[in-house]
């Protein structure tokens, strides 16, 4: 019975070490990118909750959405900084496109949440979101495939 517990813990420790080796490639680009993707998906579910339940664009839901978007922007800049520090041109290009897509989504979202409730701003914010998810996923895949 003791051997079974030891082997389970050994297996969990091996998986933990394997995950940390995977996430620490290329100056932690996979870890930053996966955190950004997770936060983007949380923001998506919150934004769709506002739309589906027809909640007003005010109060704590709006503040949480804005703070989450600020955190995504900070993670995006951290991703670019890690890529520049690693000096890989492909990672720099993908992470720079990620920063641009986050800025585009934030710019359009500032109009939509700032009081000009027009569907075109909402669609452009969503387009920036989709491109941000694509570029963050690209950073994650690129760093896992190319990193040491």
């Amino acid at each position: 019975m003791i051997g079974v517990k030891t082997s389970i813990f050994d297996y969990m420790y091996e998986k933990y070490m394997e995950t940390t080796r995977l996430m620490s490639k290329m100056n932690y680009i996979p870890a930053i990118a996966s955190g950004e993707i997770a936060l983007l998906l949380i923001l998506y579910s919150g934004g769709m909750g506002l739309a589906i339940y027809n909640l007003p664009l005010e109060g704590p839901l709006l503040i949480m959405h804005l703070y989450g978007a600020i955190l995504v922007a900070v993670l995006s800049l951290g991703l670019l900084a890690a890529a520049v520090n690693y000096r890989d041109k492909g990672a720099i290009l993908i992470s720079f496109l990620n920063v641009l897509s986050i800025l585009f989504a934030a710019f359009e979202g500032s109009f939509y949440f700032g009081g000009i409730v027009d569907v075109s701003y909402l669609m452009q914010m969503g387009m920036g979101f989709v491109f941000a998810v694509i570029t963050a996923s690209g950073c994650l895949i690129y760093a896992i495939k190319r990193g040491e």
Side-chain angles (χ1 to χ4, degrees):
M1 188 70 177
I2 293 174
V4 173
K5 287 183 180 179
T6 305
S7 66
I8 290 173
F9 288 125
D10 288 340
Y11 176 75
M12 289 173 55
Y13 180 73
E14 287 174 23
K15 288 299 177 185
Y16 169 76
M17 291 305 291
E18 185 178 309
T19 304
T20 55
R21 272 193 300 276
L22 180 71
M23 290 298 169
S24 65
K25 289 182 176 181
M26 292 178 75
N27 288 341
Y28 295 95
I29 287 178
I32 298 169
S34 59
E36 183 180 337
I37 292 168
L39 190 58
L40 281 169
L41 294 178
I42 290 168
L43 284 175
Y44 174 76
S45 64
M48 290 307 292
L50 285 171
I52 290 173
Y53 297 116
N54 203 13
L55 297 172
L57 294 174
E58 59 189 18
L61 294 174
L62 177 64
I63 299 300
M64 289 186 330
H65 194 79
L66 291 176
Y67 282 159
I70 291 169
L71 187 56
V72 165
V74 169
L75 286 175
S76 173
L77 289 174
L79 193 64
L80 180 62
V84 168
N85 192 17
Y86 192 72
R87 293 183 182 93
D88 186 55
K89 291 184 185 194
I92 292 171
L93 177 67
I94 297 171
S95 59
F96 184 70
L97 289 174
N98 187 8
V99 170
L100 288 180
S101 64
I102 297 292
L103 288 176
F104 179 72
F107 181 71
E108 298 300 330
S110 67
F111 284 118
Y112 184 72
F113 289 119
I116 306 173
V117 181
D118 188 14
V119 179
S120 65
Y121 294 122
L122 183 63
M123 295 297 286
Q124 292 169 1
M125 183 177 60
M127 195 168 59
F129 163 80
V130 168
F131 195 57
V133 169
I134 290 170
T135 54
S137 300
C139 283
L140 176 65
I141 294 168
Y142 184 83
I144 288 173
K145 293 284 185 185
R146 297 277 308 243
E148 294 109 32

